Amino acid sequence: MHHSPGHYISSAYRHLQIYLNNRFSVLGFGSGQYLFFSHIAHNEGITQKELSRQLAVDKATAAKAVHKLCRLGYLEQRQNILDKRYNNLFISDKGRGILPEVEKILFNTRDILQSGMNKEEQQQMLRLLDLMLKNLTAEVDKIRRTDD
């Protein structure tokens, strides 16, 4: 039986969430926070507004993830010097301590996902996934424009 790309993407996403939740549970967070932690680690000083824009998530989702990571002691919020309405996000010393483990989990996950593919196939897969994302993003943007 042939399935649609959506079937495979949905199934892979669910399994990925289970796997990541299991791996990150030792750090006190799960699949809902690792992306935020990793992005902030590589973009220290970013604002929460910019974080949500870059990750293409709504502000409430970003706020929940940042709040949890702050509560766990992995992030610090510092008031923006130029605009006191915003906070800049930084990895705390505790967060720096777990960063190698987070990166190890992410590298291992990538290796699992790409297992059995040669370099050319890996690059082709990424190109095709990027194209699918662009196609869907364009359609969602159309829907949002008509809903306004």
Side-chain angles (χ1 to χ4, degrees), residues 47 49 78-88:
T47 64
K49 182 179 180 179
R78 299 182 200 149
Q79 193 172 50
N80 185 291
I81 296 167
L82 301 175
D83 189 340
K84 297 192 185 305
R85 294 174 296 170
Y86 296 103
N87 288 319
N88 297 92

Side-chain angles (χ1 to χ4, degrees), residues 59-71:
K59 292 175 189 174
T61 300
K64 282 175 55 177
V66 167
H67 178 73
K68 181 165 187 173
L69 291 166
C70 286
R71 197 176 68 236

